[in-house]
Amino acid sequence: MVTGARPVALRATYDAAHGGRWTSLHGAGREWLWHGPEPGRHEVRPDDAFVDAGGLEECLPTVRGKPDHGEVWSRPWRSAGPDTVVIERPTFTLSRRISDEGGVVVADYRLAADPGHRFVWAAHALLDLSPAARLDAPAGTPTRLHPEAATLLPPGSWPTGDRWLTGPWPAPAGLTLDTFGPDDGTALGAVLLDCARVQVIDGADRLTMELECADQPRSTALWRNLGGWPTGAPYRSVGVEPMLGAAFDLADAGPDDAAVVPPTGEVAWRLTISAHRIP
C-alpha cells in the first residue's frame, strides 16, 4: 500500500431478482462499477443471450461457452437470511452473503454439489475507469492470452490449434496489458494464473480485490475492451474478474484448470474488496 493512502469505506448493493447482480460498489463519492448501454437486462429469461449491462455478474459454471456467462446470471436468486441469497440448479446450489462491516466488502460463497463436480466461477466485475488507470499484479505472473489476441500479434505468432498463448505479466507475448489507455479499437481476454490478489490504480484511488479458497485454482481474469467489441456497435468496458479456475470456458478447462468439488460435497470461498485513496 502506498504511504499515506487512507482507507475508503465501500458499500455494495445487489439485485437478487436479476441474477444476484451487483449493481453498485461505491465509497467516498466514487462508483467503481461501470454500467453499459445495453437495455433489457431486467427482461432476461433463462437461456437468453447475455445482456452486457455492467455491474458485477456472477458467472457459474462457466464464463464463456454454453450457456454464455453461465447459468446463474439470468435467473432469480431467493433470500436465505440477512444479506444472503441462494440459487438452486439441478447440479449445484450456490449461496452468497455480502457484508461491508468496517468499510471492507466481503462476499462469502458456498457451492454444494456432487463430489467431482467441475466448474469455473468468476466475479465478472466491469469497472468504471479512466484511460490513466492500470492493473497492478505480481510481475512475471503467467498470463494466458485467449485467441482474440492473435490478431494483435505478428503473423505466425499464435501456435496453430492452441487454445491460448501464455507469457509473463504485464506483457505476455509483448502485449502490454497492465495499462488501459484511450480507446484503440481492440478487445481481448486474458487470465492471470495463480493470481489471487490484484489492485486497480486510478489516479488517487486504489481498489484491491482478493480471493481466498483452499485447494482450488485461483486466478484473475481480465477483459480489456477498448472500443473493439461488439462488432458494429463497439464501446469501452474493462473487466477485472477474480476467478476460480484458469480458463474462461469450462469446456476448454484441462484437469487443473477448473475447480472441483471435494468428497465433502462443498466448496467455500471468500472475495474481499477494499479501497484506499491518497489525499
Side-chain angles (χ1 to χ4, degrees):
M1 186 59 59
V2 176
T3 301
R6 297 176 180 174
V8 169
L10 287 178
R11 293 200 65 186
T13 59
Y14 61 88
D15 184 352
H18 299 95
R21 172 174 169 259
W22 300 39
T23 55
S24 179
L25 180 67
H26 63 276
R30 173 163 189 159
E31 173 59 59
W32 281 97
L33 295 181
W34 172 87
H35 296 278
E38 295 296 321
R41 179 66 179 81
H42 284 189
E43 287 72 48
V44 165
R45 296 295 180 266
D47 302 321
D48 282 356
F50 181 65
V51 175
D52 193 11
L56 186 158
E57 303 277 11
E58 301 284 357
C59 295
L60 180 81
T62 191
V63 182
R64 298 184 182 180
K66 296 182 179 179
D68 188 18
H69 288 71
E71 297 181 21
V72 303
W73 73 271
S74 60
R75 292 175 164 85
W77 299 40
R78 63 175 176 84
S79 175
D83 304 313
T84 302
V85 289
V86 174
I87 183 165
E88 295 158 336
R89 301 295 302 132
T91 58
F92 63 83
T93 297
L94 177 68
S95 67
R96 182 193 71 197
R97 180 180 185 272
I98 297 178
S99 63
D100 52 30
E101 295 180 8
V104 174
V105 171
V106 177
D108 285 304
Y109 298 81
R110 188 172 300 272
L111 182 137
D114 290 340
H117 180 80
R118 302 175 79 243
F119 67 94
V120 171
W121 165 85
H124 185 274
L126 295 179
L127 302 181
D128 189 1
L129 303 175
S130 78
R134 62 186 179 89
L135 180 62
D136 185 39
T141 296
T143 302
R144 285 177 173 170
L145 295 171
H146 282 249
E148 62 270 16
T151 59
L152 306 178
L153 300 175
S157 298
W158 195 274
T160 302
D162 281 11
R163 293 170 293 181
W164 40 66
L165 178 63
T166 304
W169 181 264
L175 291 179
T176 301
L177 299 185
D178 62 331
T179 56
F180 300 120
D183 292 357
D184 60 9
T186 65
L188 60 84
V191 178
L192 286 72
L193 305 180
D194 194 27
C195 181
R197 184 182 185 276
V198 295
Q199 186 175 84
V200 177
I201 300 171
D202 193 5
D205 291 321
R206 276 92 173 110
L207 186 76
T208 303
M209 311 172 83
E210 184 168 5
L211 180 61
E212 301 171 69
C213 186
D215 304 319
Q216 302 291 348
R218 298 173 298 163
S219 306
T220 299
L222 172 65
W223 172 239
R224 188 173 178 270
N225 174 27
L226 305 182
W229 184 90
T231 301
Y235 50 83
R236 180 187 182 94
S237 58
V238 175
V240 179
E241 309 171 23
M243 171 185 280
L244 290 182
F248 282 119
D249 191 339
L250 181 60
D252 290 337
D256 299 323
D257 295 331
V260 181
V261 176
T264 59
E266 288 190 341
V267 178
W269 64 95
R270 169 173 285 185
L271 172 62
T272 302
I273 307 177
S274 59
H276 291 76
R277 176 173 292 169
I278 300 173

